[in-house]
Amino acid sequence: MEALIVLLPGDGIGPEVIAGARRVLERVAGRFGHRFDFREEMIGGGAIDAVGEPLPESAIVSCKAADAVLLGAVGGPKWSDPNAKIRPEQGLLELRSTLGVYANIRPVTIYPELAGASPLKPEILAGVDLLVVRELTGGIYFGEKSRDDRSASDLCTYTVEEIERIVRVAARTASKRRGKLCSVDKANVLETSRLWRDVTDRLVASEFPGIELETLLVDAAAMHLLSRPAEFDVIVTENMFGDILTDEASMLAGSLGMLPSASIGDGKAGLYEPIHGSAPDIAGAGLANPCAAIASAAMLLRHSLGLDAEAAAVEKAIADAVGDGARTADIAAEGETPLSTAAMTDEIIRRLS
Ligand code: IPM
Ligand code: MG
């Protein structure tokens, strides 16, 4: 098949991990007889420096025309003045919103060989296989904001339609897995959460009677994720709670550097990004873990291009490399010599059959 893939390397370690993911995609194209055309565009702090805005028009045009978009990371200390009018993160939020990718899918896969990299006990981690479906284009992230000398406000709004469509994605996903859905809200305090709970209960009962639905308050969910993570299958939640809970869940896998994400909407184009940030402290040093970006490329192959076998081959290559002891610094145990970003990528490519 032929596909146009737009690459948005962004800031910090973004360019390094995206270079690795691109090499993997090129190898997939060669192995499986596809033609992928790549177009690189700017986003984030680098784009602010170059053209004065975090998401230039040309990037928007390219992303809308693409079959899929693969993004590295945005942000860094250079652009993080809280009073700045223009911030790198605005580019990412505008992109998600413009592409209409309201469902952010964040699978948490545990590589058994990395159990030692997690701060949690191995017996708590045994059998963990969960996936968070985070609402991505609504809620407090996108509500009206105001600020004056004495106060500030961020409005959190959800409509019935926004809740229904994300819960449908989550319930459909759960029905292809272990059939368990956990909806996370703060219905004891927030009106938006009470609506979220009503809509979820009604929709799951009427459209997905085979799904086992559990409801948790977000504070309790944060605790249960650490005390009984293996019991979760699919978790669905609003934008802000999903942001926080997925950073927490990444510690189950041992490193933020392992976890990919896919953001999809009703159209075919999707946005794929590692869940980690730009890690400015190690940027440019060749130390970053490319696994999350490469696993995001696998999700791209599956969700936007429909290439299931190719996606599975990439995921197996990552698992095999890790299984054979390939480690970047974030997942290396004491005494192990860590690989560079490029060398880790080579180990994965070598195992891609
Ligand atoms: C994420 C990130 C972003 C978010 C930031 C960079 C705006 O933390 O993708 O989880 O909050 O959504
Ligand atoms: Mg986050």
Side-chain angles (χ1 to χ4, degrees), residues 106 134 141 243-244 246-247 275:
R106 298 186 162 184
R134 168 188 174 194
Y141 272 60
D243 179 47
I244 298 167
T246 49
D247 264 33
I275 84 160

Side-chain angles (χ1 to χ4, degrees), residues 2-353:
E2 280 184 29
L4 172 62
I5 299 173
V6 167
L7 302 175
L8 299 170
D11 305 317
I13 59 170
E16 295 161 71
V17 297
I18 291 302
R22 177 181 180 149
R23 284 207 284 134
V24 169
L25 287 170
E26 281 166 347
R27 172 57 70 99
V28 167
R31 269 287 151 84
F32 293 84
H34 303 302
R35 178 163 156 209
F36 299 152
D37 290 320
F38 296 97
R39 190 181 301 165
E40 257 190 46
E41 295 283 356
M42 285 188 293
I43 191 170
I48 295 176
D49 289 351
V51 296
E53 47 181 348
L55 186 66
E57 184 60 29
S58 74
I60 299 177
V61 171
S62 291
C63 290
K64 282 188 172 161
D67 295 294
V69 180
L70 183 63
L71 181 139
V74 297
K78 184 174 175 197
W79 310 280
S80 61
D81 173 2
N83 292 316
K85 283 265 168 306
I86 303 179
R87 303 169 56 83
E89 292 78 5
Q90 290 163 347
L92 180 55
L93 298 185
E94 189 189 339
L95 181 66
R96 291 170 174 172
S97 173
T98 303
L99 294 179
V101 289
Y102 60 83
N104 181 223
I105 298 171
R106 298 186 162 184
V108 178
T109 313
I110 308 272
Y111 299 85
E113 302 81 6
L114 294 185
S118 170
L120 282 130
K121 296 195 191 93
E123 57 267 31
I124 290 188
L125 293 175
V128 168
D129 175 14
L130 65 89
L131 184 151
V132 179
V133 177
R134 168 188 174 194
E135 200 293 322
L136 200 62
T137 54
I140 200 165
Y141 272 60
F142 290 91
E144 201 177 300
K145 298 178 187 305
S146 74
R147 168 96 177 257
D148 61 30
D149 290 348
R150 307 198 53 85
S151 70
S153 130
D154 297 275
L155 188 65
C156 184
T157 309
Y158 270 109
T159 65
V160 170
E161 291 70 28
E162 284 174 315
I163 301 167
E164 282 177 345
R165 66 184 183 178
I166 191 74
V167 172
R168 263 189 205 110
V169 169
R172 240 182 264 133
T173 308
S175 61
K176 291 186 209 129
R177 292 171 47 102
R178 305 200 302 280
K180 282 165 54 170
L181 180 63
C182 174
S183 175
V184 174
D185 61 39
K186 187 71 185 173
N188 54 348
V189 176
L190 301 178
E191 208 51 59
T192 38
S193 281
R194 286 190 273 273
L195 179 67
W196 184 283
R197 195 174 283 209
D198 284 350
V199 171
T200 304
D201 286 348
R202 180 175 42 71
L203 187 140
V204 172
S206 66
E207 293 181 27
F208 299 90
I211 293 284
E212 183 190 323
L213 176 67
E214 176 189 20
T215 304
L216 282 180
L217 296 173
V218 64
D219 46 353
M223 182 183 70
H224 289 254
L225 260 179
L226 301 183
S227 61
R228 53 169 186 104
E231 286 174 35
F232 291 100
D233 180 13
V234 175
I235 296 173
V236 63
T237 191
E238 68 157 81
N239 203 342
M240 176 77 132
F241 299 158
D243 179 47
I244 298 167
L245 292 179
T246 49
D247 264 33
E248 184 191 5
S250 77
M251 279 295 103
L252 304 169
S255 171
L256 263 176
M258 297 304 297
L259 295 189
S261 84
S263 304
I264 54 178
D266 293 325
K268 131 195 108 134
L271 170 65
Y272 300 84
E273 45 179 319
I275 84 160
H276 63 67
S278 59
D281 50 324
I282 58 163
L287 294 174
N289 185 345
C291 288
I294 293 170
S296 299
M299 294 188 88
L300 179 159
L301 292 167
R302 179 178 293 116
H303 291 284
S304 280
L305 308 187
L307 299 176
D308 288 352
E310 289 82 341
V314 172
E315 283 159 356
K316 181 168 186 308
I318 298 171
D320 288 349
V322 169
D324 293 342
R327 302 276 185 276
T328 41
D330 56 318
I331 50 174
E334 243 179 74
E336 282 176 346
T337 317
L339 297 175
S340 69
T341 309
M344 185 75 184
T345 305
D346 291 339
E347 293 298 325
I348 293 167
I349 289 178
R350 177 137 37 98
R351 289 169 176 80
L352 198 55
S353 52

